[in-house]
Amino acid sequence: MESEARQKTTPKDLSTEVPGMMTKPSSMGDASWQEWVEPVIDILSNASNYIGEWFSTYKQLLTTLGIIVFGIISVKIIIAILGAISDIPLLAPILQLVGLGYTAWFVWRYLWKASNREELFAEFDAIKNQMFGDNA
């Protein structure tokens, strides 16, 4: 009698084989889930190929953008360093005096007389030939 009462109160979709499982697993939800997962797995498994093709296609553009970004970052760092140096007391005026002194020496040594200017141009030509060759 007890088993008859139990059968009457147990709904047909309840799982009695696996303890803790309230209902029988439906195969309909798994199929729709797999339809979404398979394309994602395909894309992820071929991701290195996609990325490699993309980089080879846009190599020159990426190089140019990288150089521009590196240049901007370098300028910002240099400006920050110069600002920090400028904030140190007496260092900025001393560096300005050194710069003025070197400029005065350069003018006196190379630009004051015509013979010294010819010597300077000869040194420039020697450096240019050393860097670019005799054809430049």
Side-chain angles (χ1 to χ4, degrees):
M1 177 128 176
E2 198 173 292
S3 64
E4 287 179 14
R6 184 182 250 182
Q7 287 178 357
K8 289 181 182 177
T9 59
T10 305
K12 293 181 180 178
D13 61 342
L14 285 182
S15 173
T16 56
E17 294 96 27
V18 181
M21 179 73 87
M22 291 295 287
T23 60
K24 294 179 183 176
S26 66
S27 62
M28 199 172 194
D30 291 340
S32 65
W33 180 75
Q34 288 177 353
E35 289 175 10
W36 287 94
V37 170
E38 287 179 14
V40 172
I41 290 174
D42 279 344
I43 290 172
L44 292 177
S45 65
N46 294 328
S48 62
N49 294 337
Y50 296 141
I51 293 171
E53 289 174 13
W54 186 81
F55 274 115
S56 65
T57 303
Y58 297 108
K59 184 177 182 180
Q60 187 174 6
L61 175 67
L62 291 173
T63 304
T64 304
L65 289 176
I67 290 171
I68 290 170
V69 168
F70 180 73
I72 291 170
I73 291 172
S74 299
V75 167
K76 289 198 176 262
I77 289 173
I78 289 171
I79 289 172
I81 290 171
L82 290 176
I85 288 173
S86 178
D87 288 342
I88 298 174
L90 292 177
L91 187 60
I94 290 172
L95 290 177
Q96 287 175 352
L97 285 175
V98 169
L100 285 173
Y102 182 77
T103 303
W105 173 84
F106 185 83
V107 167
W108 178 259
R109 170 70 177 94
Y110 289 110
L111 302 178
W112 197 261
K113 297 180 184 176
S115 62
N116 292 347
R117 284 192 298 268
E118 290 174 6
E119 180 184 342
L120 178 65
F121 290 132
E123 286 184 29
F124 279 144
D125 287 337
I127 291 172
K128 184 175 71 171
N129 288 337
Q130 185 179 6
M131 289 178 69
F132 301 115
D134 293 330
N135 297 341

